[in-house]
Amino acid sequence: MAYLRKQNKIFHIIYFDDSGVRKSITTKTSSKSLADGMLKKFNAHRTLNLPLNLQNNHNPLFSAALDEFLATRMKRATATKQIYFFASQKWLRIVGDRPVNKYSKKDCAEFVSSLNELSINTAANYTRHLHIIFDWFLLKHYIFENPIERLDELIQEPEPIPEYQFNVICRQLFISGMFKQLDFVKLTYLCAFRISETITACYEDFDIPNKTVHVRNSKGHRIDTIVMLDDICEYVQQMKFDGKTGRIFDYRGRQSASKFWKTVNHKFHFENTIHSLRKARGSQLANAGVDILFLQDFMRHKDIRTTQKYYIKINRNKARNHINKKLETDQLEDEKDE
């Protein structure tokens, strides 16, 4: 049987021919999983005594393979499809349209150097989506190694909106008679919605008899269910949802909703994003002592580490009072023992 051996970071298939002479075939890849697949193919062909060609005969141009890939992404959000388009068109302009297995890491380096004019996060976004495209080429066996090196994003997580700023904005909306906008802000906060989830929220998503809220999760293209807390239920009842159907808000997209938020926000020289409302709700529940598993479920995070890292902001005053109380109790117990 043949086996793999790594030489200069590249895997080679080592085998002995019919006369017992040791021979070697390069896999042209440093990926162990890909080399394992090629080794299985090699052993299968030798067992069946078939001719072997480790290279894929179907070697389309990038533009043709890209069309195949995009056809599999038709149901993705418009913004996602746009970034695939922009990233791939930039790739074609910089590197050129070649057979997909002719690209190398050198081409990727040339492409990355052309992104200096863009922001760090935009450049990272381009390489991330190109990496996904080439990963799909891997699955189709058009290539044996992904040449795209992903850039790291500069993560700038918004801070929770301070409670007094939240109250100031809500009071201003109420005084100005902007009740629909007030409902938008309050529901986003109370349900810890992402902006796209608030925009797509429907009256029928709020099941008051069963105390549940159905959330149209745009990130996962699914509908999640969270518990309807008492403050959510109370506010929804004030909005009088009974008998109404369809979308609650008539914003056409994120930009129009964000525009309204920025206008109110800047009136008081605040610097909060709409996502700060979600962050504030998560932090409020955490500081109220909500169990981390329940908080993860309410925030709809697949990974509990996301809940811990980004949505739990300890209230230092509460932490100080809690620790002092524990110390006082401990000191009293020690005095009793004496």
Side-chain angles (χ1 to χ4, degrees):
M1 290 290 287
Y3 60 93
L4 291 175
R5 172 166 290 177
K6 200 170 188 179
Q7 298 175 358
N8 298 324
K9 297 184 179 181
I10 299 297
F11 284 100
H12 295 256
I13 296 175
I14 309 299
Y15 71 102
F16 294 89
D17 65 13
D18 295 337
S19 59
V21 177
R22 183 177 179 275
K23 293 191 174 182
S24 172
I25 299 176
T26 178
T27 64
K28 298 183 180 179
T29 181
S30 59
S31 169
K32 181 66 164 60
S33 59
L34 290 176
D36 282 336
M38 295 166 72
L39 177 63
K40 289 179 181 178
K41 182 178 178 180
F42 178 86
N43 283 326
H45 278 68
R46 289 200 75 199
T47 301
L48 297 173
N49 199 25
L50 297 173
L52 175 71
N53 179 12
L54 290 177
Q55 298 299 318
N56 196 313
N57 291 326
H58 186 194
N59 186 24
L61 290 173
F62 178 84
S63 56
L66 177 66
D67 288 341
E68 290 184 61
F69 169 80
L70 293 177
T72 68
R73 296 300 192 272
M74 293 302 292
K75 294 184 179 180
R76 292 291 191 272
T78 301
T80 302
K81 290 186 287 188
Q82 284 179 338
I83 196 66
Y84 280 129
F85 175 78
F86 292 142
S88 59
Q89 293 307 302
K90 182 81 170 177
W91 176 266
L92 286 170
R93 284 198 302 273
I94 301 303
V95 184
D97 196 10
R98 305 180 202 161
V100 291
N101 71 352
K102 298 299 182 183
Y103 293 119
S104 65
K105 293 189 181 296
K106 183 179 178 182
D107 296 315
C108 178
E110 180 184 354
F111 175 75
V112 169
S113 66
S114 74
L115 302 178
N116 291 334
E117 64 201 50
L118 304 175
S119 69
I120 294 174
N121 284 350
T122 300
N125 208 11
Y126 275 26
T127 58
R128 179 164 63 88
H129 284 79
L130 272 174
H131 193 275
I132 293 171
I133 292 172
F134 276 88
D135 264 352
W136 188 83
F137 294 165
L138 272 173
L139 291 174
K140 296 288 288 185
H141 303 295
Y142 294 160
I143 58 177
F144 290 127
E145 188 171 21
N146 192 329
I148 306 299
E149 297 288 343
R150 293 174 52 172
L151 299 177
D152 293 329
E153 290 183 336
L154 180 62
I155 299 176
Q156 295 178 314
E157 277 290 318
E159 289 296 314
I161 181 173
E163 184 178 358
Y164 83 91
Q165 292 186 11
F166 175 72
N167 291 334
V168 166
I169 290 175
C170 289
R171 185 166 58 250
Q172 176 63 30
L173 292 173
F174 181 82
I175 293 172
S176 302
M178 301 173 68
F179 301 119
K180 203 67 175 178
Q181 290 86 344
L182 176 61
D183 291 341
F184 185 93
V185 172
K186 292 285 285 187
L187 278 186
T188 300
Y189 168 75
L190 290 172
C191 299
F193 281 154
R194 302 176 180 92
I195 181 172
S196 58
E197 294 166 352
T198 312
I199 292 170
T200 57
C202 296
Y203 291 104
E204 54 267 33
D205 293 338
F206 293 81
D207 186 352
I208 296 177
N210 293 311
K211 295 293 181 70
T212 56
V213 181
H214 303 294
V215 185
R216 299 166 191 268
N217 189 318
S218 59
K219 290 185 71 174
H221 301 280
R222 64 181 187 272
I223 295 181
D224 295 329
T225 301
I226 60 172
V227 293
M228 184 183 290
L229 304 180
D230 289 344
D231 53 1
I232 300 175
C233 186
E234 182 181 348
Y235 195 80
V236 167
Q237 287 175 330
Q238 291 177 15
M239 293 176 68
K240 299 179 180 178
F241 279 15
D242 294 342
K244 296 181 181 179
T245 59
R247 285 194 178 187
I248 301 171
F249 306 104
D250 55 4
Y251 291 110
R252 288 178 294 179
R254 297 166 59 97
Q255 288 184 340
S256 56
S258 297
K259 186 177 179 180
F260 127 71
W261 174 256
K262 287 179 181 178
T263 301
V264 178
N265 209 24
H266 291 171
K267 178 180 176 65
F268 300 99
H269 306 289
F270 298 156
E271 297 182 355
N272 303 297
T273 66
I274 291 184
H275 202 74
S276 297
L277 297 170
R278 173 173 163 82
K279 293 290 293 272
R281 181 60 158 174
S283 300
Q284 181 212 30
L285 296 176
N287 284 312
V290 174
D291 187 281
I292 185 65
L293 290 176
F294 297 148
L295 183 59
Q296 178 195 8
D297 181 71
F298 187 82
M299 301 301 292
R300 307 177 312 285
H301 293 142
K302 285 188 176 180
D303 191 335
I304 198 170
R305 288 174 296 184
T306 304
T307 312
Q308 293 171 319
K309 184 175 181 181
Y310 296 119
Y311 289 87
I312 296 181
K313 303 294 182 183
I314 298 300
N315 184 311
R316 288 187 172 84
N317 288 330
K318 288 187 177 181
R320 186 186 304 110
N321 293 336
H322 175 78
I323 294 171
N324 286 336
K325 189 174 181 180
K326 290 292 184 182
L327 289 174
E328 289 173 8
T329 302
D330 186 62
Q331 187 174 1
L332 289 172
E333 290 179 352
D334 287 343
E335 291 176 354
K336 288 180 180 179
D337 291 340
E338 290 177 0

